[in-house]
Amino acid sequence: MSEVSGNDRSVRPIAAADRNRRRRRMIHSAVIAVVSAVVALSVVGCGESQAKSMHVGDCGYFEKAGRGSELQRRDCTDPEAVLIVVRASAAAECPDYAYTWSPPSQMKSKPQNVCTHVNAHVGDCVNDPGNKYAHLDRLRKVPCSTPGAYQVNTRIEKHDFGVCAAVSTRYRDTASITHEQPPVSFCLHRV
């Protein structure tokens, strides 16, 4: 079977043209499949490797929204180091769920959880102690002159929901942060 094209009367077999089109489609499909596989592996694999790369004692902050962001490591004495890892990657949930980091995982039925605590001392300020759970990436240490900042006025090495009881009459707006394991509690007041 042949095909006659326009005025130049060139003859070309249809089968060859069809084979070339099919070959291009197959190559295009293969390229798309490979790119999709690489993207899928990097998304799933990165979360898992990020969780495994965080070790007890690492400090820093989470940079982007969601539980899939990587810990931006800082020395624990660095003013930006608002969080400290207190338990490395494990399937068990953290006792302080509000400060849990979990990578996105579509391949596992149980996510790997990294447990963090607030890394602060008396005199340090944070932007808002309510930044936890899904908003943990917004929690930052800030200069105490920042409007709306909260300053740590009490830190005790035990789990104590009443940590602000003694200072709540002195400050109009206080917030407490308590951690179970290891036990530590903070009272902060708005400056």
Side-chain angles (χ1 to χ4, degrees):
M1 198 177 209
S2 301
E3 172 180 77
V4 178
S5 97
N7 294 335
D8 66 279
R9 300 239 184 249
S10 62
V11 177
R12 187 174 74 170
I14 291 176
D18 285 343
R19 275 188 296 231
N20 286 339
R21 264 188 248 123
R22 283 187 204 132
R23 188 177 302 139
R24 281 189 298 244
R25 283 184 192 147
M26 285 181 14
I27 291 171
H28 181 66
S29 295
V31 167
I32 289 174
V34 168
V35 168
S36 297
V38 167
V39 169
L41 287 174
S42 67
V43 169
V44 173
C46 278
E48 193 171 330
S49 65
Q50 289 171 1
K52 290 180 181 178
S53 72
M54 292 184 213
H55 305 288
V56 172
D58 285 349
C59 291
Y61 60 91
F62 292 109
E63 188 169 60
K64 53 186 176 169
R67 295 197 176 277
S69 64
E70 171 76 8
L71 181 73
Q72 302 301 311
R73 285 180 179 78
R74 297 290 185 264
D75 186 88
C76 290
T77 59
D78 189 297
E80 291 186 310
V82 70
L83 296 170
I84 184 168
V85 175
V86 294
R87 191 194 76 200
S89 178
E93 290 187 15
C94 299
D96 299 317
Y97 180 71
Y99 294 92
T100 301
W101 182 90
S102 304
S105 177
Q106 299 171 353
M107 304 291 279
K108 293 185 175 200
S109 59
K110 291 187 177 184
Q112 294 296 303
N113 300 304
V114 175
C115 305
T116 64
H117 279 187
V118 171
N119 177 40
H121 299 282
V122 172
D124 289 343
C125 288
V126 297
N127 56 351
D128 181 356
N131 287 325
K132 50 191 175 185
Y133 301 106
H135 305 289
L136 192 57
D137 63 290
R138 297 179 187 164
L139 183 64
R140 295 284 189 278
K141 283 187 182 176
V142 295
C144 292
S145 59
T146 304
Y150 282 77
Q151 185 174 33
V152 176
N153 58 52
T154 307
R155 175 187 167 129
I156 55 174
E157 304 301 317
K158 68 179 186 173
H159 182 248
D160 182 8
F161 286 114
V163 67
C164 289
V167 296
S168 62
T169 57
R170 202 169 16 154
Y171 300 105
R172 199 175 104 210
D173 194 3
T174 61
S176 63
I177 299 174
T178 60
H179 297 296
E180 288 183 42
Q181 294 175 8
V184 63
S185 300
F186 302 92
C187 183
L188 302 94
H189 67 276
R190 194 172 187 146
V191 289

